[in-house]
Structures are given as C-alpha cells and as structure tokens.
Amino acid sequence: MRKIFIPLSLMASAVALAGCAPVDYAAGEKEPQLTEKQQAKLDKKLAGRVAGEPVSCIQQSRIRSFTAISDDVLVYEVGNTLYVNQPYRGCRGVTNDTLVTRTSAGSLCRGDQARITDLQNGFDVGTCTFGEFTPYRMAENSAD
C-alpha cells in the first residue's frame, strides 16, 4: 500500500474551499426565510433596481454603507450599486452585533470570512463566510 503525504497547509486549504461551495437550493439548502418586516426592508432598498450577474468581489474602499437585513441577507452600497450577499450557512448574530472584516487585498470576496463581534463586551460571537455578491442597479442606469 502506498502512502500519500498531504501537507497540513494544503489540507486546511482544501477543507476551507470545501465549505465555499455555491448554495444549491434544489439540493436541499434553504433559501433565506425573511420575516415580513425584513422582506419589506429589502424590497424598499431594491425598489427600481434590476439584478445583474453575480460577482466574486467588491472593493472595500468603495463601500459607502452596509445593512444586515437578516442573518442571511447582507446589503452593501458601492457607488450607485447595491450588492446583496447571502453568506454560506448564514451569519448568525450579525443583526445584533458588528461584522468585522480584514482583508489584505482591499476587496471582500466570495469565500472570505468575517467575524461577528460583540463590541460592548469585547469578544467574538461567531464567523460567517461570504457568498457571491449580486449587483442591483437602477433600471435606467446600468453603469456603476
């Protein structure tokens, strides 16, 4: 029998990438369930906008605002475009605490992890992993 040596760093990368598979609602993954209030808030933000093709990253320096609609739906305002992100397996607690991101490339990307931090008590309460960012642009203005 032949033994295969896999460096621990490669194994950790493979495990991390395995958790970044696209969400497949047809395969049983749950589509975010929003309350009426959350759905109304999302509808109001996206009113008059049209969804574009999802992108993998958004520039962190261009983010003007961030809104957590729910633990499963995050909205970033970048220029005139709103990007909706649905973190893999949700982002539990983000509506009550602070989302802390740290990137070296200056972009938030699919697969990046963020910490959910309780700033009042000074400790992390969880993590979440970003999904793709779906752009929503005003119907008459398709440029960012």
Side-chain angles (χ1 to χ4, degrees):
M1 178 192 259
R2 193 170 146 193
K3 292 184 179 181
I4 299 174
F5 173 73
I6 300 174
L8 190 55
S9 61
L10 287 178
M11 191 178 300
S13 296
V15 169
L17 289 175
C20 295
V23 177
D24 185 0
Y25 299 125
E29 296 230 16
K30 293 183 180 177
E31 190 168 349
Q33 299 297 311
L34 299 176
T35 65
E36 284 184 35
K37 186 176 180 181
Q38 291 167 336
Q39 187 64 55
K41 186 175 182 180
L42 181 61
D43 290 345
K44 184 177 180 180
K45 274 200 155 309
L46 299 180
R49 295 177 179 273
V50 177
E53 288 295 315
V55 296
S56 294
C57 299
I58 59 174
Q59 288 183 319
Q60 208 167 10
S61 63
R62 296 192 61 217
I63 295 172
R64 289 200 282 182
S65 69
F66 163 76
T67 304
I69 300 294
S70 73
D71 288 347
D72 299 309
V73 178
L74 311 176
V75 179
Y76 288 90
E77 182 182 357
V78 179
N80 294 323
T81 304
L82 296 180
Y83 288 88
V84 175
N85 190 281
Q86 293 178 263
Y88 301 108
R89 294 177 181 80
C91 206
R92 303 294 169 244
V94 71
T95 56
N96 299 320
D97 294 304
T98 301
L99 189 64
V100 178
T101 59
R102 186 178 307 170
T103 64
S104 58
S107 296
L108 294 182
C109 294
R110 177 178 53 100
D112 283 352
Q113 288 196 339
R115 295 186 338 261
I116 303 158
T117 303
D118 178 338
L119 294 178
Q120 190 171 26
N121 294 308
F123 59 87
D124 291 346
V125 295
T127 61
C128 56
T129 305
F130 293 113
E132 289 188 314
F133 295 84
T134 302
Y136 284 82
R137 293 181 176 93
M138 294 305 289
E140 64 275 355
N141 182 9
S142 61
D144 188 22

